[in-house]
């Protein structure tokens, strides 16, 4: 009888009447693992596997002894011994450095690697291969060494380590020299190592055949450096670490190592320095270290070396970005030195792409932008988007940039700090020119977006309006708005940054003026207003300052800060009047009237809007006439003059259509529908509002879509269709919440609470009315009074319906 482990296992299973699947279930193994054992693909199972099989099969003592003997490589039978190639005596190498007592965290990644190393290859006849990639200092080598120590008992023929020096001082180790190192590690005399790569590869594969060896190939430069070092048979395993992306290499696992999660960062810091030393400053220290294991280790070591210092003092020192990397260097642990190796890899390369990528990183680091695209990077670097894309991808391959979303790239904070050290060596005018190009690009895109969304707007008269950029190319307003969604935080960061350079006030203000259409349609007033005020403090043309005051007044009105809004409209009107800009005067006057409408002062609003109407008639300003007729519609509706409201809304729609303003025409349709609903014709209002809402959605005007849902909810409530009223109002609320619009949120919650209370859903009505009441108490005393009455009634109803608890 064949005396192998496979034969013994197969016979024992059959003797007990078990299938492979049933044995797998009893032993807690996979059916695939049982199949591999019985076919002899896995000839030397781990002792843990033997224990599981013993428990499942209830082996007799002599059977268990045979299983263990046949599973032990040292006691393998004659067939196995004869199968091993002849050659120098095998040396069981143990080349791993000692385990790091301070290793902490990375639990999930350690489990992934150790599970892989304890398993079987995905393909018979191939080794287990895992790559670990990530930026400098992220802990790739530490993780590989830790996992290798945890799994060393599974590889009785040795653990071999080669530092390939792909990134670092000196020349990267060639595949031939690396193979020679591996062969010598197994006992091959130096003079027996082949001198050609082809012979060396063949010798290594023969030497490792039928052996269980764990190779750790550290700091690989690229796939070409490691491909020939991988065994060609199952039994062995390879862990490869690299700053480069090696996903082209066939592997069982490609592990992307990111900076540590917050909890693991804190654990690592506390392991090194102690929780008491760090106290409440631990989280801030970890954040300033970018959750990078190398930086965290150095920060912890700094506290150890300075026993009188506190975690708070360490955090305060790290706050200074210009000195942060100085602090994060202790002995052979140095974040700056580690990062510089990646840059050296690029600068010493013979590939022009690498040199360009290194220069790109330096210029990109100047910007405070949160992230980049090929288009935004191209403007900063002064190149074409196609070239920028190649450079960004190369920097990402080396983990000098991160890409957490397709087409978007960002710095780790410490890489940016290192890049700025490099950028500081550039002439000052070269640094400023890069930021100027970036600002000019954003200004051009913002005005392109405005010209699509509102081509006839008065603000299009800004003297500094630039020509449309070649890229990005927008055909529709929604495309432009979506682009700004992604870039707004970078626009605002750049505005703050260039203010410190001086001499760029008008251009920075022009960017804010050009972003009006975006903020009016879907932006957050809490972002817009501070940005307006920051640029309005600069040295500006009077037209620009007047427009900024008008925009600030609109933002303040949206935030229900009505008194402040009125002041800013007055400032805008005076400035426009001082430069003879009647169109600006009419806009400020009309918007002041709209503000009075919002304050429920309809009779005060009427003469203002009539004055604005007269000015626009004098100017033959069709767009201005459309806007003032829209305002008149609101005034007449609230005053109950339905005939005048109908006429004004129809005129507004026709005028907006004539100037190509689809959004204005849609808003006119909604206002006309509401006037009809209030006049006693709610049935006719529904299709008008639905049509207008579809048009606004197509344009991407989310705030106006919210208003359309709200008005449609009001109409359904008048029709007695409370279910539809609630549905529409909740849709309006969802958009208000999404864009952070507190005024719209309060408005929709008030109506939602009113309807819910009317249909007896008092418990749901109360929190909505409570929110609205809090808002109106602060911003609108007229609405606060009626909201308070509704809230009190709803709350009383809930208390009345709550059963009394008897004691």
């Amino acid at each position: 009888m064949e005396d192998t482990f496979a034969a013994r296992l197969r016979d024992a299973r059959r003797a007990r009447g078990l299938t492979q699947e049933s044995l797998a279930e009893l032993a807690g193994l996979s059916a695939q693992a049982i199949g591999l054992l019985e076919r002899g693909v896995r000839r030397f199972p781990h002792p843990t596997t033997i224990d599981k099989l013993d428990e499942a099969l209830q082996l007799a003592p002599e059977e268990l002894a045979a299983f263990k003997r046949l599973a032990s490589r040292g006691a393998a039978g004659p067939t196995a011994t004869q199968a091993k190639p002849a050659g120098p005596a095998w040396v069981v190498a143990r080349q791993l450095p000692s385990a790091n007592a301070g290793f902490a965290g990375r639990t999930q990644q350690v489990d992934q690697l150790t599970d892989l190393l304890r398993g079987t290859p995905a393909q018979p006849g191939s080794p287990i291969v895992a790559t670990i990639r990530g930026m400098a200092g992220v802990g790739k080598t530490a993780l590989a060494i830790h996992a290798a120590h945890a799994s060393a008992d599974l590889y009785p023929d040795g653990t071999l380590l080669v530092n390939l020096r792909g990134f670092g001082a000196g020349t990267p180790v060639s595949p031939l020299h690396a193979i020679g190192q591996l062969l010598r590690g197994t006992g091959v005399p130096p003079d027996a190592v082949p001198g050609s790569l082809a012979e060396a590869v063949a010798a290594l594969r023969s030497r490792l055949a039928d052996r269980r060896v764990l190779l750790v190939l550290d700091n690989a430069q690229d796939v070409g450096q490691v491909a020939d070092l991988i065994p060609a048979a199952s039994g062995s395993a390879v862990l490869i670490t690299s700053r480069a992306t090696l996903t082209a290499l066939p592997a069982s696992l490609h592990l992307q190592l990111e900076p540590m999660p917050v909890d693991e960062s804190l654990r690592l810091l506390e392991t090194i320095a102690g929780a008491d030393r760090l106290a409440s400053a631990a989280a801030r220290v970890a954040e300033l270290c970018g959750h990078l294991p190398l930086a965290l280790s150095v920060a912890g070591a700094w506290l150890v070396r300075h026993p009188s210092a506190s975690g708070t003092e360490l955090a305060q020192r790290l706050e200074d970005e210009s000195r942060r990397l100085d602090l994060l260097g202790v002995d052979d642990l140095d974040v700056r030195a580690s990062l510089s190796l990646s840059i050296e890899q690029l600068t010493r390369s013979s590939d022009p792409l690498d040199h360009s990528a290194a220069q790109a990183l330096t210029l990109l680091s100047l910007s405070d932008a949160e992230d980049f695209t090929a288009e935004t990077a191209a403007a900063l670097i002064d190149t074409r988007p196609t070239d920028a894309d190649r450079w960004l991808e190369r920097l990402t391959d080396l983990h000098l940039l991160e890409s957490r979303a397709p087409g978007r790239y960002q710095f780790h904070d410490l890489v940016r700090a290192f890049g700025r050290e490099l950028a500081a060596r550039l002439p000052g005018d070269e640094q400023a020119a890069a930021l100027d190009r970036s600002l000019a690009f954003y200004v051009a895109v913002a005005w392109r977006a405005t010209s699509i969304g509102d081509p006839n707007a008065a603000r299009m008269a800004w003297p500094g309006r630039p020509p449309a950029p070649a890229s990005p190319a927008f055909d529709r307003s929604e495309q432009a708005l979506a682009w700004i969604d992604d870039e707004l935080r970078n626009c605002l960061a750049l505005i703050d940054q260039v203010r410190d350079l001086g001499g760029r006030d008008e251009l920075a203000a022009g960017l804010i003026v050009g972003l009006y259409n975006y903020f009016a349609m879907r932006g957050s007033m809490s972002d817009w207003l501070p940005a307006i005020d920051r640029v309005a403090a600069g040295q500006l043309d009077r037209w620009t300052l007047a427009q900024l005051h008008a925009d600030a007044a609109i933002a303040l009105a949206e935030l229900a800060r009505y008194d402040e809004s009125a002041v800013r409209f007055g400032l805008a009107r005076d400035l426009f009047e001082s430069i003879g800009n009647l169109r600006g005067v009419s806009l400020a006057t009309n918007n002041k009237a709209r503000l009075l409408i919002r304050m429920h002062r309809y009779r005060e609003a009427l003469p203002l809007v009539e004055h604005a109407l007269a000015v626009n008639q004098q100017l033959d300003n069709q767009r201005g006439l459309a806007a003032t007729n829209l305002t008149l519609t609101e005034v007449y509706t609230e005053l109950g003059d339905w005939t005048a409201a109908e006429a004004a809304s129809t005129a507004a729609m026709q005028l907006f259509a004539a100037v190509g303003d689809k959004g204005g025409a849609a808003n006119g349709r909604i206002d006309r529908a509401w006037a009809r609903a209030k006049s006693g014709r709610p049935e006719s209002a529904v299709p008008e509002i639905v049509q207008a809402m579809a048009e606004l959605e197509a344009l991407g005007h989310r705030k106006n879509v919210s208003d359309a849902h709200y008005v449609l909810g009001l109409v359904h409530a008048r029709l007695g269709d409370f279910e539809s009223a609630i549905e529409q109002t909740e849709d309006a609320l969802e958009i208000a919440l999404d864009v952070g619009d507190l005024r719209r949120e309060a408005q929709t919650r008030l109506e939602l609470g009113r309807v819910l209370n009317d249909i007896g859903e008092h418990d749901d009505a109360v929190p909505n009315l409570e929110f609205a009441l809090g808002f109106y108490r602060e911003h609108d005393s007229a609405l606060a009074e009626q909201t308070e009455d509704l809230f009190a009634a709803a709350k009383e109803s809930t208390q009345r319906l709550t059963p009394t608890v008897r004691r």
Side-chain angles (χ1 to χ4, degrees):
M1 182 185 74
E2 180 188 18
D3 194 19
T4 63
F5 185 88
R8 290 269 186 168
L9 175 59
R10 186 168 55 249
D11 291 344
R13 173 180 62 77
R14 289 173 176 173
R16 289 157 176 79
L18 298 172
T19 63
Q20 288 185 349
E21 290 74 14
S22 57
L23 175 57
E25 185 176 353
L26 288 170
L29 301 170
S30 68
Q32 181 187 21
I34 299 296
L36 292 172
L37 288 170
E38 291 195 358
R39 292 196 302 275
V41 176
R42 286 191 63 196
R43 298 173 55 199
F44 308 105
H46 188 265
T48 302
T49 302
I50 302 296
D51 293 341
K52 291 180 177 181
L53 292 171
D54 177 33
E55 184 176 350
L57 293 168
Q58 297 293 299
L59 297 173
E62 61 274 12
E63 288 179 301
L64 178 59
F67 268 45
K68 290 182 176 180
R69 173 176 59 80
L70 293 169
S72 170
R73 183 174 297 279
T79 303
T81 303
Q82 291 165 6
K84 291 180 182 177
W90 183 270
V91 172
V92 176
R94 299 296 182 195
Q95 295 181 348
L96 296 178
S98 60
N100 182 2
F103 185 90
R106 301 298 193 198
T107 305
Q108 179 181 350
Q109 292 83 359
V110 169
D111 288 344
Q112 283 181 276
L113 290 171
T114 53
D115 287 348
L116 181 69
L117 294 173
R118 291 180 181 277
T120 56
Q123 298 292 331
S126 65
I128 294 170
V129 179
T131 69
I132 307 171
R133 67 186 189 276
M135 65 177 292
V138 81
K140 302 178 293 295
T141 300
L143 174 63
I145 296 300
H146 186 83
H149 273 295
S151 308
D153 61 321
L154 302 173
Y155 297 90
D157 293 325
T159 47
L160 299 166
L161 171 66
V162 180
N163 180 1
L164 296 169
R165 296 204 305 268
F167 298 83
T171 304
V173 176
S174 69
L176 178 60
H177 281 83
I179 290 173
Q181 185 175 333
L182 290 170
L183 288 172
R184 291 192 296 274
T186 68
V188 176
D191 58 0
V193 174
S196 74
L197 180 60
E199 291 177 342
V201 170
L204 180 66
R205 290 175 179 172
S206 297
R207 186 72 171 164
L208 298 183
D210 210 33
R211 294 284 183 180
R212 288 186 65 81
V213 178
L214 176 57
L215 308 182
V216 180
L217 306 178
D218 189 37
N219 196 12
Q221 181 181 34
D222 52 32
V223 171
Q225 192 183 22
V226 296
D228 290 329
L229 279 59
I230 297 174
S234 59
S236 293
V238 187
L239 298 180
I240 307 168
T241 72
S242 180
R243 298 185 191 187
T245 300
L246 306 180
T247 49
L249 188 74
S252 309
L253 174 66
H254 290 291
L255 186 61
Q256 170 80 38
L257 203 58
E258 304 287 357
M260 284 182 154
V262 174
D263 59 335
E264 293 190 355
S265 295
L266 298 179
R267 196 183 321 152
L268 178 57
L269 272 174
E270 292 169 359
T271 299
I272 298 169
D276 293 342
R277 293 288 305 284
L278 289 155
S280 60
R284 184 57 181 155
V285 170
E287 181 182 4
L288 291 167
C289 289
H291 303 285
L292 195 67
L294 176 59
L296 293 165
S297 298
V298 178
W302 187 90
L303 282 173
V304 172
R305 292 178 60 171
H306 298 81
S308 62
S310 65
T312 300
E313 180 184 345
L314 174 58
Q316 290 171 345
R317 288 172 176 263
L318 289 169
E319 292 281 358
D320 183 354
E321 184 188 73
S322 65
R323 299 181 58 193
R324 192 175 302 160
L325 293 179
D326 292 333
L327 191 66
L328 295 177
V330 176
D331 300 329
D332 59 341
L333 297 176
D334 192 320
V335 174
R336 179 188 287 111
S338 182
L339 291 170
S340 69
L341 298 178
S342 293
I343 299 297
E344 289 172 13
Q345 173 75 12
L346 294 170
T347 55
R348 72 187 181 192
S349 170
S350 60
D351 188 346
L353 171 65
D354 286 349
H355 291 270
S356 297
Q359 294 169 0
L361 179 137
T362 302
L363 288 175
L364 290 171
S365 69
L366 288 168
S367 173
D368 284 347
E370 182 178 312
D371 59 5
F372 306 93
T373 65
E375 292 165 335
T376 60
L380 187 65
I381 302 166
D382 196 17
T383 189
R384 299 175 302 176
T386 52
D387 290 332
D389 183 66
R390 294 168 59 227
W391 302 341
L392 291 167
E393 282 295 310
R394 181 60 178 140
L395 292 170
T396 304
D397 284 344
L398 296 180
H399 295 91
L400 287 164
L401 288 178
E402 303 168 351
S403 181
R404 298 180 183 175
R408 304 200 73 86
Y409 305 85
Q410 64 188 72
F411 278 108
H412 184 278
D413 287 347
L414 297 181
V415 178
R416 190 195 295 267
F418 180 70
R420 285 181 171 172
E421 290 187 352
L422 301 177
R425 303 172 191 173
L426 298 174
D429 58 350
E430 193 172 331
Q431 297 179 46
L435 294 175
D436 285 342
R437 289 192 298 268
S438 186
L439 177 60
F441 171 75
Y442 279 118
V443 171
V445 176
W447 280 95
R448 171 61 177 154
T450 290
S451 69
I452 294 175
D454 198 357
N456 298 302
R459 72 187 55 245
M460 296 301 288
W462 181 53
R465 182 161 63 93
S471 176
F474 303 131
D475 298 318
R476 295 179 293 105
S477 179
E478 174 58 25
Q479 292 175 314
L481 295 174
W483 191 92
I484 299 174
D485 279 339
D486 293 334
E487 290 296 333
L488 180 64
R489 61 193 181 282
N490 294 329
C491 288
L492 299 180
L494 184 61
I495 287 170
D496 285 342
Q497 188 174 8
V498 299
R499 283 174 63 236
D500 296 334
L501 297 177
R504 294 159 176 82
D505 294 344
E506 185 71 18
L507 195 60
L511 176 53
I512 292 297
V513 173
L515 286 171
Y516 166 81
N517 192 59
Y518 172 81
F519 280 106
M521 294 302 102
R522 65 208 285 172
S524 167
M525 296 299 109
S526 59
D527 287 331
W528 191 31
L529 183 60
I532 293 172
D533 286 340
R534 285 197 292 272
V535 297
Q539 299 296 314
L540 302 175
D541 178 89
R542 282 194 292 172
W543 184 97
T544 306
L545 183 58
Q547 191 63 61
L548 286 170
H549 280 311
D551 289 350
I554 293 170
L556 286 162
E558 287 293 285
L559 293 169
R561 291 161 60 179
Y562 299 134
D563 292 338
E564 295 171 77
S565 177
V567 171
R568 296 296 277 269
F569 275 131
L571 291 172
R573 187 186 186 287
D574 291 346
L575 276 168
F576 279 128
E577 196 166 43
S578 73
I579 58 176
N581 189 319
L582 290 180
R583 189 172 183 188
V585 170
S586 72
L587 273 170
T589 304
N590 185 59
N591 282 326
K592 176 72 174 290
R594 297 183 68 84
L595 174 65
L596 291 171
I597 292 170
R598 194 164 290 174
M599 299 169 73
H600 323 293
R601 292 156 61 179
Y602 310 114
R603 296 199 179 278
E604 290 179 59
L606 185 56
L608 286 180
V609 69
E610 287 174 338
H611 174 67
L613 185 67
V615 173
N616 283 310
Q617 286 171 338
Q618 175 188 342
L619 295 172
D620 193 25
N621 176 11
Q622 300 298 297
R623 169 63 187 273
L625 287 169
T628 47
N629 271 289
L630 196 63
T631 308
L632 274 174
T633 302
E634 292 189 56
V635 174
Y636 289 140
T637 298
E638 296 304 326
L639 292 177
D641 190 340
W642 316 122
T643 301
E646 179 86 13
S649 61
T650 302
M653 291 170 58
Q654 292 171 346
L655 287 163
F656 276 126
V659 298
D661 188 338
K662 295 180 181 178
N667 287 325
R669 182 173 285 108
I670 292 170
D671 283 358
R672 183 171 70 179
W674 178 234
R676 289 175 175 175
K678 289 195 75 172
S679 70
R681 294 178 290 161
E683 298 87 352
S684 65
V686 173
E688 284 243 62
I689 298 172
V690 170
Q691 180 185 345
M693 189 188 306
E695 293 167 355
L696 291 167
E697 284 178 337
L699 293 169
H701 296 186
R702 299 193 67 209
K703 291 183 178 180
N704 293 140
V705 172
S706 175
D707 293 340
H709 281 296
Y710 170 72
V711 174
L712 189 53
L714 294 175
V715 172
H716 280 302
R718 283 176 173 264
L719 289 168
D721 184 354
F722 297 115
E723 184 176 345
S724 295
I726 291 170
E727 180 182 353
Q728 292 299 324
T729 311
E730 286 179 339
D731 287 343
L733 176 59
E734 183 178 351
I735 297 174
L737 290 169
D738 192 41
V739 299
D741 192 318
L742 292 176
R743 183 188 66 80
R744 283 181 170 85
E745 181 181 354
Q747 170 183 276
T748 51
R749 286 191 183 278
L750 172 58
E751 180 59 21
L752 191 58
R754 189 197 317 273
V755 174
L756 289 168
N757 197 44
D758 286 346
I759 64 174
E761 299 290 343
H762 310 296
D763 285 340
D764 290 333
V766 166
N768 286 292
L769 293 170
E770 186 173 21
F771 178 92
L773 179 59
F775 181 86
Y776 292 131
R777 277 175 174 168
E778 182 177 355
H779 299 292
D780 193 329
S781 58
L783 278 177
E785 186 174 344
Q786 60 175 280
T787 306
E788 190 155 11
D789 291 342
L790 275 172
F791 175 67
K795 198 165 185 182
E796 181 182 353
S797 296
T798 60
Q799 294 169 346
R800 187 171 61 249
L801 295 174
T802 302
T804 304
V805 178
R806 297 184 179 276
R807 297 186 178 275

